[in-house]
Amino acid sequence: MQINNQSRDVFYVSDGTAITCETLGHVVLGQFPFIPNEKAFPFVETPDKVADVVKEIETSYQRNGVKPLVFFSIVLPDVRELLLKAPAFSYDVLASIVQRVKDDTQMEPQPKLQRSRSVGKDSDTYFDRIAAIEYTLAHDDGITLKGLEEADIILLGVSRSGKTPTSLYMAMQFGLRVVNYPFIAEDISLMRLLPEFEIHRHKLFGLTINPERLTEIRENRLSGSEYASTEQCKLELDTVEALFRREAIPYINTSSLSVEEITTRIMEKAGMKRRLF
């Protein structure tokens, strides 16, 4: 059998959000040269739901002639066993760690569905995260500069430098209230900070990007425009980076970084505590 080394079907299956499976899967698959064709299946909590997943796995196997990779986290034994019967290479992302903790602590684990973390005693943190997401969406792309005193961090940068996806990731993953502001033409020409930001200097953090990468991103949005031209991109970036240096605003280059890496570096440089949900 000839295996296609260029791509491989990959499934993330969980009785929760599947975010843990995806995160660990991305770390692992990043070590291999093939392109993953990924699909996530969250909240697979019943035999009926897992049966649908198994059908998709079987279809993948029949279509490609090679078993897909399945990263999973399933608590309920009957659902787990049904999934393991599928024609796939399956990896329980928590099993080995749970077993080692059990051995080291001499305590029996008490499995529960992952999404139960969002209710009960953790409901306050759950609703804090929802409030953070709502705040971040309301302050996306300079929509409003009201309520900056509630922000945990304020991201600054030129248009399309990665502010919005980073803001939303920080809100969803860590419950942070994030404002992001794109420098507009007036800001570029005056090369100054808005007065609203002056009293919040300790919250400011800059994002920059290589001119070539910015041109590529903008071309995908507005091909052939001055906005996407190499000259305009370079002018904006040079001006904004000079502003960051002059105003002593910490900043990072996002060109080759994932949103997870961008967030981690921002939080590390800003001395922010990680609050996972």
Side-chain angles (χ1 to χ4, degrees), residues 45-47 50 74-83:
E45 303 162 323
T46 66
V50 78
I74 300 289
V75 169
L76 299 176
D78 55 338
V79 176
R80 187 177 186 277
E81 290 306 311
L82 287 172
L83 179 63

Side-chain angles (χ1 to χ4, degrees), residues 62-86:
Q62 293 167 1
R63 179 178 63 245
N64 301 318
V66 62
K67 293 181 179 180
L69 308 182
V70 176
F71 294 85
F72 74 94
S73 176
I74 300 289
V75 169
L76 299 176
D78 55 338
V79 176
R80 187 177 186 277
E81 290 306 311
L82 287 172
L83 179 63
L84 289 174
K85 292 178 180 178

Side-chain angles (χ1 to χ4, degrees), residues 86-102:
F89 295 114
S90 299
Y91 311 96
D92 189 328
V93 300
L94 298 180
S96 62
I97 298 175
V98 170
Q99 184 61 48
R100 289 194 63 178
V101 173
K102 173 185 174 182

